[in-house]
Amino acid sequence: TIRFDNEKGFFLNGQNIKMYGVCLHSDAGAMGTAVPASVWEYRLQQLRKLGVNAVRMAHNPADPTLMDLCDRMGFLVMAESFDTWNTPKNHAEKGYNLYFDEWWEADTRAMVEQARNHPCVVIYSVGNEIRDNLNNEQGFDKYRKQLDLVHSLDNTRPVTMALFRPNSSGVYRNGFAEMMDVVGQNYRVDELKAYHDAHPEKAIIGTENTHDVQSWLMLRDDPSLCGQFLWAGIDYLGEAAWPQVMWSTSLLDATGGVKPAGLQRASWWTSNPMVAFARHVDNNGAGALVSDWTPADMDTYDQAAIEVYSNCQEVELFVNGESQGRKTIPDNARPALFNINFNSGRIEAVGYIDGREAARYTSVTADEPALINIEKAGGHAGTGFDDVEIVSLQIVDTQGNVCPGNDCRIELKVEGAELIAVDNADVLAHETSHKSAVFNTYQ
């Protein structure tokens, strides 16, 4: 059973839970959009480790294979139909807007008839950031027709849409939002909260959110907010400013590797004790965050600004066995911050609950690259389309420590199997083919 309560949020089988969600596009990096089931399964497993329990299919009906996996693995799903109604978006003038009038009914019907027998689906969305005028009867009528059609095909799930700048579009003042079973909004969580304060009878959900602390605190501390969906869960091809080739504000990279943002999210969304850290790549807190202890230039890197993420009560940082201090995890969901002198060797973050060690995270300064470490990361072998073995290659030193920044060109020779795709997660990679057996590493 599912219930969206206007005061207490979302209930699944009578249990009040939050939807810790991510938005997913239909591609899987180098795999393109024809994605074998074992690849989706691996990606969902990686997301689950970070506490993700919900997926918004953005912004079109999802691959049935992905829906089947969400059923089996227990993910909650927002099934979504359209990114555009009649009014086009910038740089998309020849998109679905040309076909909406003729096809919206058939396509909505197809989505619901495909989704309604999937227990993973808990809510439908009929639009993402729609730019049509929703401040007139025509706008009301477009939504009402879609709402009525969905209800006629499936009256067991509510209908929402991802509202775009509702305060400026007028939908919070003209009665449009009151038509919605559950009011959904992209970003600007303070506006959504203000709407609920003015209309406490309406259930609310964050249909698309940034990775910022404020949005998380709103979800954590407001019982009426049913959940949120981060943009995005995994890096995806396109929608990037050249020379980047993919969107990169995500929890996982294109290979399924966990980013520092994913480590921080795990400290908020998981219940098993965890601790992890990331350091700024340049001196004194400058540069991006990375989760290693091997600076690019150890001759000039001397001041390490470190963020420690944990769902424990306290954390302590050690370098080569010497404590660098012990700190309480702040109530405002910020990481514990350490500014320490860099010394090569072993760095360890330890999390404590009630004074006892509950979790530990370790990184070691790598020596010169010596080996290529090859290991299975996920998937399974077989002869069908969905049978894909996912193999990880990493450049390591003689002790098996990953050597970041020591990228090289590798040629693969595969025997007894077919090489389907190769990806290195580099958002600046301009390889001509993801099926090439010759590629650059990136770590």
Side-chain angles (χ1 to χ4, degrees), residues 158-181:
V159 179
T160 187
M161 65 183 288
L163 292 173
F164 177 64
R165 300 177 183 173
N167 272 346
S168 58
S169 65
V171 294
Y172 281 169
R173 300 182 300 275
N174 62 12
F176 185 97
E178 282 82 295
M179 288 193 300
M180 302 169 68
D181 296 333

Side-chain angles (χ1 to χ4, degrees), residues 195-217:
Y195 172 81
H196 185 263
D197 290 343
H199 298 270
E201 76 281 3
K202 299 298 294 184
I204 58 172
I205 189 169
T207 44
E208 190 169 314
N209 298 93
T210 62
H211 297 252
D212 65 308
V213 174
Q214 179 191 2
S215 296
W216 158 236
L217 290 178

Side-chain angles (χ1 to χ4, degrees), residues 227-306:
Q228 66 179 201
F229 292 86
L230 301 177
W231 193 271
I234 310 175
D235 289 0
Y236 59 90
L237 297 173
E239 200 168 6
W242 185 262
Q244 293 192 6
V245 296
M246 67 181 77
W247 180 271
S248 59
T249 305
S250 314
L251 302 181
L252 304 177
D253 65 34
T255 67
V258 181
K259 299 184 177 187
L263 299 175
Q264 182 175 47
R265 191 61 49 169
S267 73
W268 298 340
W269 283 5
T270 60
S271 55
N272 291 331
M274 65 79 60
V275 65
F277 76 85
R279 66 176 178 87
H280 287 273
V281 70
D282 297 321
N283 269 327
N284 298 314
L289 289 166
V290 293
S291 297
D292 64 59
W293 198 232
T294 308
D297 187 349
M298 282 187 276
D299 292 332
T300 60
Y301 186 84
D302 51 22
Q303 293 294 316
I306 297 173

Side-chain angles (χ1 to χ4, degrees), residues 321-365:
E322 183 177 344
S323 176
Q324 306 298 305
R326 186 161 169 167
K327 298 187 178 184
T328 300
I329 292 293
D331 291 335
N332 64 1
R334 301 284 180 178
L337 303 178
F338 291 82
N339 287 282
I340 64 175
N341 295 327
F342 171 75
N343 288 292
S344 63
R346 178 182 296 270
I347 184 171
E348 297 174 290
V350 179
Y352 299 94
I353 297 177
D354 296 332
R356 297 183 179 181
E357 179 178 333
R360 183 179 290 257
Y361 185 90
T362 302
S363 184
V364 177
T365 307

